[in-house]
């Protein structure tokens, strides 16, 4: 369901069997940890700590050796987790909550979206972006205050943000849309199937995965 990579090219994979697996750059298994439900999202920070969100509503922090540091309980299945450069964690769940946690797993704030939150992203200014099942992309500041929202043609399953604060949203209509930092649409591209994942690299190339064969 989710993969992440760290600065040393180790890969972390979360699957429907509830496993979080760490692989080295050659694909060799280093360790595997078992969650209490299907793992929907994984993220890794600059200190090689791993964060996993699962269908049982848990956000779990693991150290680089796969040992559990803490676990926090959400109000619904956790669909997406993200971590910022100050080691704050953001979790989006099926109850429509976006929750910011500190590095020790303590809740800082919680915001209610208009629908189940499918995707969460955070930029270098600690602004938070969410995509939800009602088709909204919402930007919030570091204190959880709404800055703007944009309505997609359909359910938003994935959001990403680049270093210039442009936002990319993938939806089931099926479109990939680029927004500027103010939430204004720059362009929209039509995929051949519902878009479930988007990513952007340091050169501003965009990658989208969809349901077409």
């Amino acid at each position: 369901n989710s993969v992440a990579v760290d600065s040393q090219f180790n890969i972390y994979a979360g699957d429907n069997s509830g496993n979080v697996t760490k692989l080295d750059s050659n694909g060799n298994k280093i360790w595997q940890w078992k969650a209490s439900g299907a793992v929907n999202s994984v993220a890794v920070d600059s200190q090689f700590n791993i964060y996993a969100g699962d269908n049982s509503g848990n956000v779990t922090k693991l150290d680089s050796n796969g040992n559990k540091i803490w676990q926090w309980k959400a109000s619904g299945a956790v669909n997406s987790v993200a971590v910022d450069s100050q080691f704050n964690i953001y979790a989006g769940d099926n109850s429509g909550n976006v929750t910011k946690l500190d590095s020790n797993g303590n809740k800082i704030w919680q915001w209610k979206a208009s629908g189940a939150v499918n995707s969460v992203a955070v930029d270098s200014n600690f602004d938070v972006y969410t995509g939800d099942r009602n088709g909204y992309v919402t930007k919030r500041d570091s204190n959880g205050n709404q800055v703007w929202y944009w309505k997609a043609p359909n359910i938003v399953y994935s959001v990403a943000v680049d270093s210039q604060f442009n936002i990319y949203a993938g939806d089931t209509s099926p479109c990939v849309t680029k927004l500027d930092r103010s939430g204004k649409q720059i362009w929209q591209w039509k995929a051949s199937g519902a878009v479930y994942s988007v990513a952007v690299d340091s050169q501003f190339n965009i990658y989208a995965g969809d349901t077409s064969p």
Side-chain angles (χ1 to χ4, degrees):
N1 294 326
S2 182
V3 292
V5 62
D6 66 28
S7 60
Q8 293 183 341
F9 311 109
N10 298 299
I11 301 98
Y12 307 86
D15 65 39
N16 274 343
S17 299
N19 295 313
V20 177
T21 306
K22 180 177 180 178
L23 309 171
D24 67 19
S25 59
N26 294 313
N28 300 305
K29 185 167 76 172
I30 300 174
W31 53 252
Q32 190 170 74
W33 174 82
K34 187 76 170 180
S36 55
V39 178
N40 297 320
S41 185
V42 290
V44 59
D45 67 26
S46 60
Q47 294 183 342
F48 311 110
N49 299 300
I50 302 93
Y51 306 87
D54 66 43
N55 265 355
S56 296
N58 296 312
V59 176
T60 307
K61 180 177 181 178
L62 309 172
D63 67 18
S64 60
N65 295 313
N67 301 305
K68 184 168 75 172
I69 300 174
W70 53 252
Q71 192 169 73
W72 176 82
K73 188 73 171 177
S75 53
V78 178
N79 296 320
S80 184
V81 291
V83 60
D84 67 28
S85 61
Q86 293 184 340
F87 311 110
N88 299 299
I89 302 94
Y90 307 84
D93 66 41
N94 266 352
S95 298
N97 292 314
V98 179
T99 307
K100 180 177 180 177
L101 308 172
D102 67 18
S103 61
N104 295 313
N106 301 305
K107 185 167 73 172
I108 300 174
W109 53 252
Q110 190 171 73
W111 171 78
K112 188 78 169 178
S114 61
V117 177
N118 294 321
S119 186
V120 180
V122 59
D123 68 24
S124 58
N125 286 336
F126 311 110
D127 295 317
V128 185
Y129 306 86
T130 58
D132 67 42
R133 288 190 190 167
N134 285 343
Y136 288 101
V137 176
T138 306
K139 178 179 180 177
R140 306 194 79 79
D141 67 20
S142 61
N143 295 314
N145 302 306
Q146 184 173 301
V147 179
W148 52 253
Y149 66 87
W150 174 81
K151 186 75 166 75
N154 213 318
I155 299 169
V156 178
Y157 272 103
S158 186
V159 291
V161 60
D162 67 28
S163 60
Q164 293 183 341
F165 311 109
N166 299 299
I167 302 93
Y168 307 86
D171 67 50
T172 57
S173 64
C175 292
V176 176
T177 306
K178 180 178 181 178
L179 309 173
D180 68 17
R181 64 190 304 163
S182 300
K184 307 296 184 186
Q185 183 175 314
I186 299 174
W187 53 250
Q188 192 169 73
W189 174 78
K190 190 81 167 178
S192 52
V195 178
Y196 282 93
S197 185
V198 291
V200 58
D201 66 25
S202 59
Q203 295 183 338
F204 310 108
N205 299 300
I206 300 96
Y207 307 87
D210 65 41
T211 56
S212 61

